Amino acid sequence: NAGVTQTPKFRVLKTGQSMTLLCAQDMNHEYMYWYRQDPGMGLRLIHYSVGEGTTAKGEVPDGYNVSRLKKQNFLLGLESAAPSQTSVYFCASTGGVSGANVLTFGAGSRLTVL
Amino acid sequence: AQSVTQPDIHITVSEGASLELRCNYSYGATPYLFWYVQSPGQGLQLLLKYFSGDTLVQGIKGFEAEFKRSQSSFNLRKPSVHWSDAAEYFCAVGAVDSNYQLIWGAGTKLIIKP
């Protein structure tokens, strides 16, 4: 039972390069989220999805794009990476049943932009 | 504005001593409250949650938390800490009508002295 799987776990980019982080969940969850975690700032929501084919902006969406073409996958893209996007990225999902919004998290993806 | 405050960035406790981590929130609706734990290099794991009912909730690993509406607090406690409890702890608040988005505190890093 894998839960939430993020790939890659580590990546180093140069400024201006693009990349995609993949989040896959095998729990048939409707809701998926991408967060970034920076020291002293907790988790900040980048984008989220309430179902296949839908996405919405979170607190810090600028510089990122997302897609949810399949229910089990939620992709986070950086079109032109900037040093300010150096962070640890977490994907999470929830089934959203009966208001029980307990999130299941992936192990994180550490991104460094030089 | 909605917010979650964890006043202590770091807390150092001797092994076997009791622990209390503070969490205060500002939230207009009736909140759902959570504590998550993050071990080094790992994703976040749910410790406990409060939705309604008994204001003292029990979680995993011997942790408990008490919801005090009058103080807008949801403090986490453990009577006797173990070295394996060294981690970062996050308090979060949400509501069922918010697409299950959570507002996160900045985290408290727990250091255990032998």
Side-chain angles (χ1 to χ4, degrees):
Chain A
N1 190 2
V4 177
T5 303
Q6 293 182 229
T7 53
K9 288 185 169 48
F10 301 93
R11 185 73 187 269
V12 179
L13 290 178
K14 295 181 179 178
T15 297
Q17 287 185 318
S18 64
M19 74 158 297
T20 300
L21 298 177
L22 170 63
C23 176
Q25 52 93 4
D26 61 2
M27 298 169 287
N28 202 34
H29 283 172
E30 288 292 338
Y31 297 77
M32 297 186 74
Y33 309 82
W34 274 108
Y35 289 93
R36 61 177 290 171
Q37 183 181 35
D38 302 292
M41 303 188 73
L43 277 74
R44 293 183 291 169
L45 183 64
I46 304 171
H47 287 280
Y48 65 100
S49 167
V50 301
E52 181 179 318
T54 73
T55 63
K57 295 180 180 179
E59 180 185 356
V60 289
D62 294 343
Y64 304 95
N65 56 75
V66 288
S67 64
R68 182 107 181 262
L69 299 179
K70 294 182 178 181
K71 186 177 183 178
Q72 63 268 32
N73 295 337
F74 194 31
L75 279 65
L76 177 71
L78 287 71
E79 288 188 348
S80 180
S84 61
Q85 294 176 303
T86 293
S87 188
V88 181
Y89 293 85
F90 286 98
C91 177
S93 69
T94 184
V97 175
S98 302
N101 45 336
V102 176
L103 297 177
T104 300
F105 281 85
S109 298
R110 182 175 293 275
L111 175 65
T112 301
V113 182
L114 303 176
Chain B
Q2 300 167 350
S3 65
V4 176
T5 301
Q6 294 180 245
D8 304 303
I9 298 174
H10 298 97
I11 280 189
T12 300
V13 176
S14 296
E15 190 170 15
S18 64
L19 170 70
E20 182 170 30
L21 301 182
R22 296 181 290 163
C23 174
N24 293 95
Y25 67 89
S26 171
Y27 201 77
T30 299
Y32 291 173
L33 296 158
F34 305 83
W35 276 98
Y36 282 81
V37 60
Q38 183 181 30
S39 298
Q42 302 296 315
L44 283 77
Q45 179 186 20
L46 179 71
L47 273 179
L48 48 77
K49 61 186 184 290
Y50 171 79
F51 289 165
S52 65
D54 192 346
T55 56
L56 183 64
V57 294
Q58 303 297 320
I60 62 171
K61 304 184 182 186
F63 285 91
E64 67 178 25
E66 186 171 12
F67 170 52
K68 294 186 177 180
R69 185 184 299 274
S70 62
Q71 298 178 19
S72 297
S73 69
F74 188 56
N75 294 349
L76 182 71
R77 300 193 294 249
K78 186 170 185 178
S80 176
V81 298
H82 185 262
W83 64 267
S84 60
D85 294 325
E88 191 157 17
Y89 293 80
F90 292 92
C91 180
V93 61
V96 70
D97 59 353
S98 63
N99 284 323
Y100 304 99
Q101 295 180 56
L102 299 183
I103 299 169
W104 295 84
T108 297
K109 187 171 184 178
L110 175 62
I111 300 165
I112 307 295
K113 288 192 301 185

